[in-house]
Amino acid sequence: MELKIKSFEELTNRELYALLKLRVDVFVVEQHCAYPDLDGMDNKALHVFFEEDGELLAYLRILPEGEHYGDAVMIGRVIAARRGVGLGARILAAGIEAARSLLGARRIRLEAQSYAQGFYEKAGFARCSGEFDEDGIPHVEMVLDL
């Protein structure tokens, strides 16, 4: 399994297709949520993913401070192609390290689906908002101070 961290411009066509397909398959189709996944932010993000034999295993994107939050880097679109085998925790840890080492992050924020709050708490994130609706799915904002 190989960790890759790329800007939008560095992604190959195959990599871009694979990560967009995985995001749509889970966040739109599986969760029955029609929302604009293509939100105009991918070109500003770092794309962090695990790949093995050309297969995308897990993915997230990192937006630099100021692109979404003025006081923090944002991690989003956290997803694993196979669940229950630790890939989510591994990609999140890789994303936190990339935010720290490549973007100089001192604080990371994310908007977690409420059911996943415990997953992010295990990585050190703390809930910092009440529950809110995002495209028909309950979410909470969470923060990690580094």
Side-chain angles (χ1 to χ4, degrees), residues 55-72:
E55 178 188 359
L56 179 64
L57 300 178
Y59 167 83
L60 61 76
R61 74 176 184 186
I62 307 169
L63 295 173
E65 186 175 314
E67 290 299 333
H68 188 81
Y69 293 108
D71 69 339

Side-chain angles (χ1 to χ4, degrees), residues 109-129:
R109 291 187 183 271
L110 55 80
E111 295 173 358
Q113 292 185 10
S114 295
Y115 82 89
Q117 180 178 329
F119 167 77
Y120 292 106
E121 286 173 339
K122 288 178 187 173
F125 285 86
R127 182 175 170 166
C128 61
S129 78

Side-chain angles (χ1 to χ4, degrees), residues 18-89:
L19 70 87
L20 292 174
K21 182 178 184 327
L22 180 60
R23 286 174 14 186
V24 168
D25 285 350
V26 173
F27 296 132
V28 177
V29 177
E30 181 181 305
Q31 294 183 353
H32 306 286
C33 181
Y35 84 106
D37 181 55
L38 301 178
D39 61 359
M41 300 302 278
D42 286 315
N43 62 327
K44 301 172 185 178
L46 281 180
H47 301 271
V48 180
F49 54 102
F50 285 120
E51 199 176 67
E52 187 172 69
D53 298 326
E55 178 188 359
L56 179 64
L57 300 178
Y59 167 83
L60 61 76
R61 74 176 184 186
I62 307 169
L63 295 173
E65 186 175 314
E67 290 299 333
H68 188 81
Y69 293 108
D71 69 339
V73 167
M74 181 183 189
I75 287 180
R77 305 297 201 268
V78 180
I79 191 166
R82 287 183 243 141
R83 298 185 191 118
V85 295
L87 288 171

